[in-house]
Amino acid sequence: EASGGEGFDAVILAVAARDAVALGLDALRPKGRLVIFAPMPGETPIDLFAVLLRELEIVGSVNDPGLMDEAIAALSRPALASLALGDLVTHRFRLDDYREAFALAENRQGAAMKIAFVFDDDDDPEARA
C-alpha cells in the first residue's frame, strides 16, 4: 500500500524476525532486492518459486563479517545474559505505524534509544515509552 501497489526496489531487513523475511519479499517489485542486515541464525523458509518468477535478489550485508560469530557467541554467555539487552528497545511499532516510528527516530532521538517493528500478534506495540 505504501508503494502505491508497485512494490519497492529494495527492502532492508534489519530485524531478526523470520516473518519479516516473507513480508520483505512480498513488498518488493519484480526484480527487487532484499538486503538482509540482521543476523538470523537457523532455518528461514523462503518461497524460492516466487523468488524465481519475480526475479528477486536476496543479498546479505554484514559490517564486520569476521566478528558476527564472535558477537553471537558472546551474547549467549551467561555473564552477558544478565545485561537484559532487550531492554534497549524503547519503542515497538506495528509495521503499519512506520510513519510514526520514523518520525520518532528522526525528531525525538533522545527519547528513543532503539525502535523495533513487531510482526507477531503476541508482541505488545503498546510498550512505547
Side-chain angles (χ1 to χ4, degrees):
E1 188 177 305
S3 72
E6 298 293 318
F8 295 100
D9 292 332
V11 171
I12 299 173
L13 180 62
V15 59
R18 286 179 174 73
D19 294 345
V21 175
L23 185 62
L25 288 170
D26 288 345
L28 291 170
R29 65 162 177 77
K31 297 186 179 183
R33 175 186 289 188
L34 177 67
V35 180
I36 301 175
F37 189 69
M40 204 164 320
E43 295 182 19
T44 301
I46 296 175
D47 182 356
L48 292 178
F49 187 66
V51 171
L52 172 71
L53 288 180
R54 295 175 54 218
E55 299 181 73
L56 302 176
E57 184 178 359
I58 302 172
V59 297
S61 177
V62 179
N63 287 341
D64 295 310
L67 300 177
M68 183 61 74
D69 290 339
E70 184 180 334
I72 291 173
L75 289 172
S76 66
R77 290 187 192 123
L80 292 180
S82 64
L83 291 178
L85 297 174
D87 292 346
L88 295 176
V89 177
T90 57
H91 298 76
R92 292 173 175 81
F93 292 89
R94 297 220 181 276
L95 194 56
D96 291 342
D97 299 325
Y98 72 93
R99 286 184 180 96
E100 183 182 350
F102 288 167
L104 177 67
E106 180 180 24
N107 300 319
R108 294 181 24 199
Q109 292 178 3
M113 179 176 281
K114 183 161 182 81
I115 297 170
F117 289 105
V118 295
F119 298 92
D120 188 346
D121 290 337
D122 295 335
D123 288 326
D124 181 12
E126 299 302 317
R128 302 175 191 166

